[in-house]
Amino acid sequence: LDRSGKFWLGTTDGVYCYNGKVFTPFLDNYSIINKNRVHLKWTQCMLEDKSGNIWFGSWVKGNEGICRYDGKSISQYKPYGGGWIRHIIEDKNGDILCVTRLHGVCRFDGKTFTNFTEKGGIDNSSIDAILEDKAGNLWFGTEKGSGQLGEDGGLWRFDGKSFTTFTTKDGLVHNGVFFILEDRNGNIWVGTRNTGLCRYDPSAQLRAGGKTFTSFSE
């Protein structure tokens, strides 16, 4: 849903727009400048940034990378040559962060893409989810780790300086993390493989004996 109230839907047959009455194939608008002739088929994720640009991330079968629509034209990018984009967010600085299949999380400042997760020990091919919380921390859900902890995957947090990982040793219900959400109280909810669900309470670390992770899985 964009700021004008229009719904954007990514499908295996391209992107469609819904205005509340009818569905319209986005690329049927022939006034759009599409120099790279992208098809936007197999669109896996989308984002409207603060400036009103619409970003599209392509699944592996589309292999079109990340595309930006500025209201007139479509620009196509492939971070480090990769065409599969798993997730897109805009951070508090206005940079675009995209989760790639083989090159970790890449930050786009409008000119270049830079991988910044590899230096934290996260396996480049393992990241499935990303979230920026209210405090500005970045969270990553992974399924395959660096091997440093003797475990695979887990939940990772980047505070701008250092990376911290949480696994089942810390109370995480499962190390395969697919979904991350922050609620209004600042708790981080984590959805994992095997229908796992748990909640991370940052304030618990400040309370003596506080339980950081609470499981809601049966």
Side-chain angles (χ1 to χ4, degrees):
L1 181 66
D2 67 17
R3 63 187 63 185
S4 70
K6 181 169 58 180
F7 288 90
W8 294 74
L9 301 98
T11 76
T12 59
D13 194 38
V15 172
Y16 286 77
C17 297
Y18 179 64
N19 62 5
K21 296 181 180 179
V22 295
F23 290 90
T24 305
F26 168 59
L27 290 178
D28 275 6
N29 181 352
Y30 297 108
S31 67
I32 297 173
I33 301 172
N34 185 6
K35 292 182 179 179
N36 295 102
R37 297 183 180 180
V38 296
H39 299 287
L40 301 180
K41 293 183 178 180
W42 300 95
T43 295
Q44 181 166 353
C45 51
M46 286 184 282
L47 168 77
E48 181 184 28
D49 66 22
K50 297 171 185 176
S51 300
N53 299 302
I54 306 295
W55 295 80
F56 309 95
S58 180
W59 190 49
V60 60
K61 286 193 175 182
N63 199 41
E64 291 186 328
I66 184 169
C67 299
R68 180 187 63 202
Y69 173 60
D70 62 7
K72 296 181 179 180
S73 62
I74 297 174
S75 301
Q76 181 188 30
Y77 310 92
K78 287 191 174 184
Y80 296 91
W84 182 358
I85 307 297
R86 288 174 162 171
H87 203 87
I88 313 169
I89 68 169
E90 181 180 21
D91 69 13
K92 62 181 181 180
N93 298 318
D95 291 338
I96 298 299
L97 306 181
C98 60
V99 179
T100 70
R101 172 63 180 86
L102 296 174
H103 304 284
V105 177
C106 296
R107 185 190 303 276
F108 183 57
D109 61 6
K111 295 181 180 179
T112 58
F113 286 90
T114 305
N115 171 291
F116 68 95
T117 49
E118 187 176 31
K119 65 180 181 181
I122 306 178
D123 184 279
N124 269 344
S125 64
S126 71
I127 303 172
D128 290 308
I130 184 173
L131 166 77
E132 183 179 46
D133 67 20
K134 298 172 185 176
N137 299 303
L138 291 173
W139 296 81
F140 310 102
T142 71
E143 191 167 24
K144 181 181 179 183
S146 63
Q148 295 173 348
L149 301 177
E151 293 193 23
D152 283 340
L155 177 69
W156 295 68
R157 181 183 64 203
F158 178 56
D159 63 6
K161 296 181 180 180
S162 61
F163 290 81
T164 303
T165 183
F166 304 91
T167 67
T168 52
K169 291 180 179 178
D170 304 293
L172 189 67
V173 66
H174 193 285
N175 286 333
V177 178
F178 294 154
F179 185 80
I180 319 169
L181 175 71
E182 182 183 25
D183 66 23
R184 65 184 66 183
N185 297 317
N187 298 308
I188 305 297
W189 291 81
V190 184
T192 74
R193 183 177 286 279
N194 294 349
T195 62
L197 176 66
C198 61
R199 181 183 64 205
Y200 173 78
D201 179 4
S203 64
Q205 291 184 325
L206 304 177
R207 302 193 300 268
K211 187 177 180 181
T212 307
F213 283 95
T214 302
S215 176
F216 293 85
S217 302
E218 295 183 356

